[in-house]
Amino acid sequence: LEKVLVAAADPWPPFADENNPSDGLSLEIIRAAFQTQGYEISILYVPWARAINGVKAGVYDILPTAWKNKDRMEFLHFSAPYLQNSIKFIKRAEDDFVYNGIESLAGKTIGVIRGYAYGQEFSKATNFKKEDANDLFTNIQKLLSDRIDLTVEDEIVAFSIIKEENPDFLSEITFLSPPLTIENLYVSVGFAHPEHEEIINAFNKGLAIIKENGVYKQIIRKYGVDPVE
């Protein structure tokens, strides 16, 4: 008999996507990994604060899309990382700007999303202008009509949104390296959960299996992104 684990996530396409029949990239990887160990995953979409507090209290079994930080490590048991979020600047394809650190952004106007966190160094910097918008696609339109110099977003998220809204734009933009920040993505279970150790071990084992047998690569390619080795 398969054991069912309840995952709680806030909608975050393409990682956790309630409009996708397979629930998005993160959930496909997590389901495939857990399946090798005899677990089924059922998902509830709830606001982020409710998801993390519910997992902390052991109300939900797993938080499928979590970044690790000191505070969370006190109450969450983290898996091995299964994906990376690469937060990158985006420029117009014909722009010859080269990004090498916050200093190189001097004098630029950068489109950001209201309420998003982009890391302390970026938030504190004063050598460029930040211009708010409600969503990434607005920033891409502003970028392509020369109203801002750059915008910034997780590469996988940006790719997914642009592909959905207007795939032609993908040839008109370039993602800049190095990334502004890189965050690993983990599955986590609250220490309050009596089986936290068992669940995380099962995921880690399963992840190794699907990386070995090619399933992991298949899932990732489906979303048009490169595998994290």
Side-chain angles (χ1 to χ4, degrees), residues 99 101-110 121-130:
Y99 171 67
I102 295 287
E103 314 71 57
S104 66
L105 300 171
K108 301 276 182 201
T109 300
I110 301 175
E121 194 188 9
F122 183 82
S123 316
K124 287 180 173 163
T126 52
N127 60 333
F128 55 86
K129 216 175 104 190
K130 303 176 187 86

mmCIF file with all atom_site columns, all heavy atoms in Angstrom, residues 99 101-110 121-130:
data_model
loop_
_atom_site.group_PDB
_atom_site.id
_atom_site.type_symbol
_atom_site.label_atom_id
_atom_site.label_alt_id
_atom_site.label_comp_id
_atom_site.label_asym_id
_atom_site.label_entity_id
_atom_site.label_seq_id
_atom_site.pdbx_PDB_ins_code
_atom_site.Cartn_x
_atom_site.Cartn_y
_atom_site.Cartn_z
_atom_site.occupancy
_atom_site.B_iso_or_equiv
_atom_site.pdbx_formal_charge
_atom_site.auth_seq_id
_atom_site.auth_comp_id
_atom_site.auth_asym_id
_atom_site.auth_atom_id
_atom_site.pdbx_PDB_model_num
ATOM 1   N N   . TYR A 1 99  ? 27.529 42.420 -17.371 1.00 0.00 ? 99  TYR A N   1
ATOM 2   C CA  . TYR A 1 99  ? 27.318 42.506 -15.925 1.00 0.00 ? 99  TYR A CA  1
ATOM 3   C C   . TYR A 1 99  ? 28.498 41.890 -15.190 1.00 0.00 ? 99  TYR A C   1
ATOM 4   O O   . TYR A 1 99  ? 28.843 40.741 -15.414 1.00 0.00 ? 99  TYR A O   1
ATOM 5   C CB  . TYR A 1 99  ? 26.022 41.784 -15.531 1.00 0.00 ? 99  TYR A CB  1
ATOM 6   C CG  . TYR A 1 99  ? 25.851 41.642 -14.028 1.00 0.00 ? 99  TYR A CG  1
ATOM 7   C CD1 . TYR A 1 99  ? 25.649 42.767 -13.226 1.00 0.00 ? 99  TYR A CD1 1
ATOM 8   C CD2 . TYR A 1 99  ? 25.904 40.398 -13.418 1.00 0.00 ? 99  TYR A CD2 1
ATOM 9   C CE1 . TYR A 1 99  ? 25.507 42.651 -11.844 1.00 0.00 ? 99  TYR A CE1 1
ATOM 10  C CE2 . TYR A 1 99  ? 25.754 40.265 -12.033 1.00 0.00 ? 99  TYR A CE2 1
ATOM 11  C CZ  . TYR A 1 99  ? 25.557 41.406 -11.261 1.00 0.00 ? 99  TYR A CZ  1
ATOM 12  O OH  . TYR A 1 99  ? 25.418 41.283 -9.900  1.00 0.00 ? 99  TYR A OH  1
ATOM 13  N N   . GLY A 1 101 ? 28.978 42.353 -11.345 1.00 0.00 ? 101 GLY A N   1
ATOM 14  C CA  . GLY A 1 101 ? 28.805 42.858 -9.987  1.00 0.00 ? 101 GLY A CA  1
ATOM 15  C C   . GLY A 1 101 ? 27.966 44.116 -9.927  1.00 0.00 ? 101 GLY A C   1
ATOM 16  O O   . GLY A 1 101 ? 27.744 44.794 -10.945 1.00 0.00 ? 101 GLY A O   1
ATOM 17  N N   . ILE A 1 102 ? 27.507 44.424 -8.712  1.00 0.00 ? 102 ILE A N   1
ATOM 18  C CA  . ILE A 1 102 ? 26.598 45.547 -8.468  1.00 0.00 ? 102 ILE A CA  1
ATOM 19  C C   . ILE A 1 102 ? 27.169 46.877 -8.989  1.00 0.00 ? 102 ILE A C   1
ATOM 20  O O   . ILE A 1 102 ? 26.435 47.713 -9.492  1.00 0.00 ? 102 ILE A O   1
ATOM 21  C CB  . ILE A 1 102 ? 26.282 45.631 -6.941  1.00 0.00 ? 102 ILE A CB  1
ATOM 22  C CG1 . ILE A 1 102 ? 25.498 44.394 -6.474  1.00 0.00 ? 102 ILE A CG1 1
ATOM 23  C CG2 . ILE A 1 102 ? 25.530 46.903 -6.590  1.00 0.00 ? 102 ILE A CG2 1
ATOM 24  C CD1 . ILE A 1 102 ? 24.050 44.308 -6.905  1.00 0.00 ? 102 ILE A CD1 1
ATOM 25  N N   . GLU A 1 103 ? 28.511 47.042 -8.909  1.00 0.00 ? 103 GLU A N   1
ATOM 26  C CA  . GLU A 1 103 ? 29.138 48.311 -9.361  1.00 0.00 ? 103 GLU A CA  1
ATOM 27  C C   . GLU A 1 103 ? 28.843 48.550 -10.843 1.00 0.00 ? 103 GLU A C   1
ATOM 28  O O   . GLU A 1 103 ? 28.710 49.688 -11.275 1.00 0.00 ? 103 GLU A O   1
ATOM 29  C CB  . GLU A 1 103 ? 30.660 48.319 -9.188  1.00 0.00 ? 103 GLU A CB  1
ATOM 30  C CG  . GLU A 1 103 ? 31.205 47.816 -7.872  1.00 0.00 ? 103 GLU A CG  1
ATOM 31  C CD  . GLU A 1 103 ? 31.063 46.306 -7.693  1.00 0.00 ? 103 GLU A CD  1
ATOM 32  O OE1 . GLU A 1 103 ? 31.575 45.546 -8.542  1.00 0.00 ? 103 GLU A OE1 1
ATOM 33  O OE2 . GLU A 1 103 ? 30.412 45.887 -6.715  1.00 0.00 ? 103 GLU A OE2 1
ATOM 34  N N   . SER A 1 104 ? 28.778 47.464 -11.619 1.00 0.00 ? 104 SER A N   1
ATOM 35  C CA  . SER A 1 104 ? 28.595 47.627 -13.067 1.00 0.00 ? 104 SER A CA  1
ATOM 36  C C   . SER A 1 104 ? 27.195 48.118 -13.433 1.00 0.00 ? 104 SER A C   1
ATOM 37  O O   . SER A 1 104 ? 26.917 48.446 -14.585 1.00 0.00 ? 104 SER A O   1
ATOM 38  C CB  . SER A 1 104 ? 28.899 46.307 -13.796 1.00 0.00 ? 104 SER A CB  1
ATOM 39  O OG  . SER A 1 104 ? 27.960 45.313 -13.445 1.00 0.00 ? 104 SER A OG  1
ATOM 40  N N   . LEU A 1 105 ? 26.289 48.198 -12.456 1.00 0.00 ? 105 LEU A N   1
ATOM 41  C CA  . LEU A 1 105 ? 24.914 48.631 -12.725 1.00 0.00 ? 105 LEU A CA  1
ATOM 42  C C   . LEU A 1 105 ? 24.751 50.150 -12.613 1.00 0.00 ? 105 LEU A C   1
ATOM 43  O O   . LEU A 1 105 ? 23.646 50.673 -12.775 1.00 0.00 ? 105 LEU A O   1
ATOM 44  C CB  . LEU A 1 105 ? 23.951 47.960 -11.736 1.00 0.00 ? 105 LEU A CB  1
ATOM 45  C CG  . LEU A 1 105 ? 23.915 46.429 -11.749 1.00 0.00 ? 105 LEU A CG  1
ATOM 46  C CD1 . LEU A 1 105 ? 23.087 45.906 -10.574 1.00 0.00 ? 105 LEU A CD1 1
ATOM 47  C CD2 . LEU A 1 105 ? 23.359 45.901 -13.066 1.00 0.00 ? 105 LEU A CD2 1
ATOM 48  N N   . ALA A 1 106 ? 25.854 50.852 -12.354 1.00 0.00 ? 106 ALA A N   1
ATOM 49  C CA  . ALA A 1 106 ? 25.800 52.308 -12.129 1.00 0.00 ? 106 ALA A CA  1
ATOM 50  C C   . ALA A 1 106 ? 25.007 53.009 -13.226 1.00 0.00 ? 106 ALA A C   1
ATOM 51  O O   . ALA A 1 106 ? 25.227 52.793 -14.413 1.00 0.00 ? 106 ALA A O   1
ATOM 52  C CB  . ALA A 1 106 ? 27.213 52.878 -12.051 1.00 0.00 ? 106 ALA A CB  1
ATOM 53  N N   . GLY A 1 107 ? 24.054 53.849 -12.782 1.00 0.00 ? 107 GLY A N   1
ATOM 54  C CA  . GLY A 1 107 ? 23.298 54.681 -13.718 1.00 0.00 ? 107 GLY A CA  1
ATOM 55  C C   . GLY A 1 107 ? 22.161 53.970 -14.443 1.00 0.00 ? 107 GLY A C   1
ATOM 56  O O   . GLY A 1 107 ? 21.429 54.592 -15.217 1.00 0.00 ? 107 GLY A O   1
ATOM 57  N N   . LYS A 1 108 ? 21.991 52.667 -14.223 1.00 0.00 ? 108 LYS A N   1
ATOM 58  C CA  . LYS A 1 108 ? 20.948 51.916 -14.927 1.00 0.00 ? 108 LYS A CA  1
ATOM 59  C C   . LYS A 1 108 ? 19.581 52.078 -14.248 1.00 0.00 ? 108 LYS A C   1
ATOM 60  O O   . LYS A 1 108 ? 19.503 52.362 -13.049 1.00 0.00 ? 108 LYS A O   1
ATOM 61  C CB  . LYS A 1 108 ? 21.267 50.410 -14.945 1.00 0.00 ? 108 LYS A CB  1
ATOM 62  C CG  . LYS A 1 108 ? 22.587 50.057 -15.622 1.00 0.00 ? 108 LYS A CG  1
ATOM 63  C CD  . LYS A 1 108 ? 22.408 49.944 -17.107 1.00 0.00 ? 108 LYS A CD  1
ATOM 64  C CE  . LYS A 1 108 ? 23.696 49.541 -17.802 1.00 0.00 ? 108 LYS A CE  1
ATOM 65  N NZ  . LYS A 1 108 ? 23.668 49.901 -19.230 1.00 0.00 ? 108 LYS A NZ  1
ATOM 66  N N   . THR A 1 109 ? 18.533 51.868 -15.024 1.00 0.00 ? 109 THR A N   1
ATOM 67  C CA  . THR A 1 109 ? 17.188 51.765 -14.458 1.00 0.00 ? 109 THR A CA  1
ATOM 68  C C   . THR A 1 109 ? 16.775 50.301 -14.581 1.00 0.00 ? 109 THR A C   1
ATOM 69  O O   . THR A 1 109 ? 16.762 49.741 -15.683 1.00 0.00 ? 109 THR A O   1
ATOM 70  C CB  . THR A 1 109 ? 16.196 52.664 -15.223 1.00 0.00 ? 109 THR A CB  1
ATOM 71  O OG1 . THR A 1 109 ? 16.638 54.012 -15.119 1.00 0.00 ? 109 THR A OG1 1
ATOM 72  C CG2 . THR A 1 109 ? 14.791 52.556 -14.634 1.00 0.00 ? 109 THR A CG2 1
ATOM 73  N N   . ILE A 1 110 ? 16.466 49.686 -13.437 1.00 0.00 ? 110 ILE A N   1
ATOM 74  C CA  . ILE A 1 110 ? 16.196 48.248 -13.412 1.00 0.00 ? 110 ILE A CA  1
ATOM 75  C C   . ILE A 1 110 ? 14.761 47.980 -12.969 1.00 0.00 ? 110 ILE A C   1
ATOM 76  O O   . ILE A 1 110 ? 14.319 48.460 -11.921 1.00 0.00 ? 110 ILE A O   1
ATOM 77  C CB  . ILE A 1 110 ? 17.193 47.530 -12.474 1.00 0.00 ? 110 ILE A CB  1
ATOM 78  C CG1 . ILE A 1 110 ? 18.619 47.799 -12.975 1.00 0.00 ? 110 ILE A CG1 1
ATOM 79  C CG2 . ILE A 1 110 ? 16.903 46.025 -12.397 1.00 0.00 ? 110 ILE A CG2 1
ATOM 80  C CD1 . ILE A 1 110 ? 19.713 47.257 -12.102 1.00 0.00 ? 110 ILE A CD1 1
ATOM 81  N N   . GLU A 1 121 ? 22.394 42.869 -0.910  1.00 0.00 ? 121 GLU A N   1
ATOM 82  C CA  . GLU A 1 121 ? 23.328 43.740 -1.637  1.00 0.00 ? 121 GLU A CA  1
ATOM 83  C C   . GLU A 1 121 ? 22.569 44.578 -2.664  1.00 0.00 ? 121 GLU A C   1
ATOM 84  O O   . GLU A 1 121 ? 22.762 45.786 -2.790  1.00 0.00 ? 121 GLU A O   1
ATOM 85  C CB  . GLU A 1 121 ? 24.398 42.880 -2.332  1.00 0.00 ? 121 GLU A CB  1
ATOM 86  C CG  . GLU A 1 121 ? 25.580 43.700 -2.824  1.00 0.00 ? 121 GLU A CG  1
ATOM 87  C CD  . GLU A 1 121 ? 26.565 42.909 -3.673  1.00 0.00 ? 121 GLU A CD  1
ATOM 88  O OE1 . GLU A 1 121 ? 26.257 41.747 -4.047  1.00 0.00 ? 121 GLU A OE1 1
ATOM 89  O OE2 . GLU A 1 121 ? 27.624 43.469 -3.999  1.00 0.00 ? 121 GLU A OE2 1
ATOM 90  N N   . PHE A 1 122 ? 21.648 43.932 -3.367  1.00 0.00 ? 122 PHE A N   1
ATOM 91  C CA  . PHE A 1 122 ? 20.849 44.609 -4.390  1.00 0.00 ? 122 PHE A CA  1
ATOM 92  C C   . PHE A 1 122 ? 19.924 45.648 -3.749  1.00 0.00 ? 122 PHE A C   1
ATOM 93  O O   . PHE A 1 122 ? 19.808 46.775 -4.230  1.00 0.00 ? 122 PHE A O   1
ATOM 94  C CB  . PHE A 1 122 ? 20.043 43.581 -5.185  1.00 0.00 ? 122 PHE A CB  1
ATOM 95  C CG  . PHE A 1 122 ? 19.237 44.163 -6.314  1.00 0.00 ? 122 PHE A CG  1
ATOM 96  C CD1 . PHE A 1 122 ? 19.833 44.439 -7.533  1.00 0.00 ? 122 PHE A CD1 1
ATOM 97  C CD2 . PHE A 1 122 ? 17.873 44.412 -6.162  1.00 0.00 ? 122 PHE A CD2 1
ATOM 98  C CE1 . PHE A 1 122 ? 19.089 44.974 -8.590  1.00 0.00 ? 122 PHE A CE1 1
ATOM 99  C CE2 . PHE A 1 122 ? 17.127 44.931 -7.213  1.00 0.00 ? 122 PHE A CE2 1
ATOM 100 C CZ  . PHE A 1 122 ? 17.734 45.220 -8.423  1.00 0.00 ? 122 PHE A CZ  1
ATOM 101 N N   . SER A 1 123 ? 19.269 45.249 -2.652  1.00 0.00 ? 123 SER A N   1
ATOM 102 C CA  . SER A 1 123 ? 18.313 46.151 -1.977  1.00 0.00 ? 123 SER A CA  1
ATOM 103 C C   . SER A 1 123 ? 18.988 47.405 -1.458  1.00 0.00 ? 123 SER A C   1
ATOM 104 O O   . SER A 1 123 ? 18.420 48.486 -1.482  1.00 0.00 ? 123 SER A O   1
ATOM 105 C CB  . SER A 1 123 ? 17.643 45.458 -0.792  1.00 0.00 ? 123 SER A CB  1
ATOM 106 O OG  . SER A 1 123 ? 17.261 44.163 -1.139  1.00 0.00 ? 123 SER A OG  1
ATOM 107 N N   . LYS A 1 124 ? 20.231 47.242 -0.942  1.00 0.00 ? 124 LYS A N   1
ATOM 108 C CA  . LYS A 1 124 ? 20.917 48.374 -0.317  1.00 0.00 ? 124 LYS A CA  1
ATOM 109 C C   . LYS A 1 124 ? 21.610 49.284 -1.331  1.00 0.00 ? 124 LYS A C   1
ATOM 110 O O   . LYS A 1 124 ? 21.929 50.425 -1.019  1.00 0.00 ? 124 LYS A O   1
ATOM 111 C CB  . LYS A 1 124 ? 21.973 47.858 0.673   1.00 0.00 ? 124 LYS A CB  1
ATOM 112 C CG  . LYS A 1 124 ? 21.348 47.299 1.943   1.00 0.00 ? 124 LYS A CG  1
ATOM 113 C CD  . LYS A 1 124 ? 22.433 46.811 2.885   1.00 0.00 ? 124 LYS A CD  1
ATOM 114 C CE  . LYS A 1 124 ? 21.860 46.403 4.223   1.00 0.00 ? 124 LYS A CE  1
ATOM 115 N NZ  . LYS A 1 124 ? 22.810 45.560 4.980   1.00 0.00 ? 124 LYS A NZ  1
ATOM 116 N N   . ALA A 1 125 ? 21.847 48.771 -2.538  1.00 0.00 ? 125 ALA A N   1
ATOM 117 C CA  . ALA A 1 125 ? 22.616 49.545 -3.526  1.00 0.00 ? 125 ALA A CA  1
ATOM 118 C C   . ALA A 1 125 ? 21.868 50.814 -3.933  1.00 0.00 ? 125 ALA A C   1
ATOM 119 O O   . ALA A 1 125 ? 20.644 50.812 -4.059  1.00 0.00 ? 125 ALA A O   1
ATOM 120 C CB  . ALA A 1 125 ? 22.895 48.681 -4.746  1.00 0.00 ? 125 ALA A CB  1
ATOM 121 N N   . THR A 1 126 ? 22.643 51.883 -4.128  1.00 0.00 ? 126 THR A N   1
ATOM 122 C CA  . THR A 1 126 ? 22.025 53.173 -4.479  1.00 0.00 ? 126 THR A CA  1
ATOM 123 C C   . THR A 1 126 ? 22.599 53.736 -5.786  1.00 0.00 ? 126 THR A C   1
ATOM 124 O O   . THR A 1 126 ? 22.304 54.860 -6.161  1.00 0.00 ? 126 THR A O   1
ATOM 125 C CB  . THR A 1 126 ? 22.272 54.208 -3.362  1.00 0.00 ? 126 THR A CB  1
ATOM 126 O OG1 . THR A 1 126 ? 23.694 54.232 -3.098  1.00 0.00 ? 126 THR A OG1 1
ATOM 127 C CG2 . THR A 1 126 ? 21.552 53.845 -2.078  1.00 0.00 ? 126 THR A CG2 1
ATOM 128 N N   . ASN A 1 127 ? 23.430 52.943 -6.480  1.00 0.00 ? 127 ASN A N   1
ATOM 129 C CA  . ASN A 1 127 ? 24.085 53.473 -7.685  1.00 0.00 ? 127 ASN A CA  1
ATOM 130 C C   . ASN A 1 127 ? 23.245 53.274 -8.953  1.00 0.00 ? 127 ASN A C   1
ATOM 131 O O   . ASN A 1 127 ? 23.670 53.566 -10.054 1.00 0.00 ? 127 ASN A O   1
ATOM 132 C CB  . ASN A 1 127 ? 25.476 52.850 -7.869  1.00 0.00 ? 127 ASN A CB  1
ATOM 133 C CG  . ASN A 1 127 ? 25.425 51.337 -8.014  1.00 0.00 ? 127 ASN A CG  1
ATOM 134 O OD1 . ASN A 1 127 ? 24.509 50.687 -7.513  1.00 0.00 ? 127 ASN A OD1 1
ATOM 135 N ND2 . ASN A 1 127 ? 26.401 50.776 -8.704  1.00 0.00 ? 127 ASN A ND2 1
ATOM 136 N N   . PHE A 1 128 ? 22.029 52.737 -8.789  1.00 0.00 ? 128 PHE A N   1
ATOM 137 C CA  . PHE A 1 128 ? 21.120 52.593 -9.935  1.00 0.00 ? 128 PHE A CA  1
ATOM 138 C C   . PHE A 1 128 ? 19.695 52.825 -9.457  1.00 0.00 ? 128 PHE A C   1
ATOM 139 O O   . PHE A 1 128 ? 19.431 52.885 -8.254  1.00 0.00 ? 128 PHE A O   1
ATOM 140 C CB  . PHE A 1 128 ? 21.258 51.210 -10.580 1.00 0.00 ? 128 PHE A CB  1
ATOM 141 C CG  . PHE A 1 128 ? 21.057 50.067 -9.612  1.00 0.00 ? 128 PHE A CG  1
ATOM 142 C CD1 . PHE A 1 128 ? 19.789 49.580 -9.329  1.00 0.00 ? 128 PHE A CD1 1
ATOM 143 C CD2 . PHE A 1 128 ? 22.154 49.468 -8.985  1.00 0.00 ? 128 PHE A CD2 1
ATOM 144 C CE1 . PHE A 1 128 ? 19.607 48.534 -8.432  1.00 0.00 ? 128 PHE A CE1 1
ATOM 145 C CE2 . PHE A 1 128 ? 21.979 48.420 -8.080  1.00 0.00 ? 128 PHE A CE2 1
ATOM 146 C CZ  . PHE A 1 128 ? 20.697 47.955 -7.799  1.00 0.00 ? 128 PHE A CZ  1
ATOM 147 N N   . LYS A 1 129 ? 18.775 52.949 -10.413 1.00 0.00 ? 129 LYS A N   1
ATOM 148 C CA  . LYS A 1 129 ? 17.377 53.219 -10.080 1.00 0.00 ? 129 LYS A CA  1
ATOM 149 C C   . LYS A 1 129 ? 16.558 51.943 -10.189 1.00 0.00 ? 129 LYS A C   1
ATOM 150 O O   . LYS A 1 129 ? 16.722 51.177 -11.140 1.00 0.00 ? 129 LYS A O   1
ATOM 151 C CB  . LYS A 1 129 ? 16.838 54.259 -11.070 1.00 0.00 ? 129 LYS A CB  1
ATOM 152 C CG  . LYS A 1 129 ? 15.861 55.243 -10.457 1.00 0.00 ? 129 LYS A CG  1
ATOM 153 C CD  . LYS A 1 129 ? 15.479 56.317 -11.464 1.00 0.00 ? 129 LYS A CD  1
ATOM 154 C CE  . LYS A 1 129 ? 14.067 55.992 -11.968 1.00 0.00 ? 129 LYS A CE  1
ATOM 155 N NZ  . LYS A 1 129 ? 13.648 56.792 -13.106 1.00 0.00 ? 129 LYS A NZ  1
ATOM 156 N N   . LYS A 1 130 ? 15.684 51.705 -9.205  1.00 0.00 ? 130 LYS A N   1
ATOM 157 C CA  . LYS A 1 130 ? 14.782 50.556 -9.289  1.00 0.00 ? 130 LYS A CA  1
ATOM 158 C C   . LYS A 1 130 ? 13.391 51.063 -9.639  1.00 0.00 ? 130 LYS A C   1
ATOM 159 O O   . LYS A 1 130 ? 12.909 52.018 -9.025  1.00 0.00 ? 130 LYS A O   1
ATOM 160 C CB  . LYS A 1 130 ? 14.731 49.818 -7.955  1.00 0.00 ? 130 LYS A CB  1
ATOM 161 C CG  . LYS A 1 130 ? 16.079 49.351 -7.453  1.00 0.00 ? 130 LYS A CG  1
ATOM 162 C CD  . LYS A 1 130 ? 15.956 48.699 -6.074  1.00 0.00 ? 130 LYS A CD  1
ATOM 163 C CE  . LYS A 1 130 ? 17.304 48.371 -5.473  1.00 0.00 ? 130 LYS A CE  1
ATOM 164 N NZ  . LYS A 1 130 ? 17.914 49.479 -4.743  1.00 0.00 ? 130 LYS A NZ  1
#
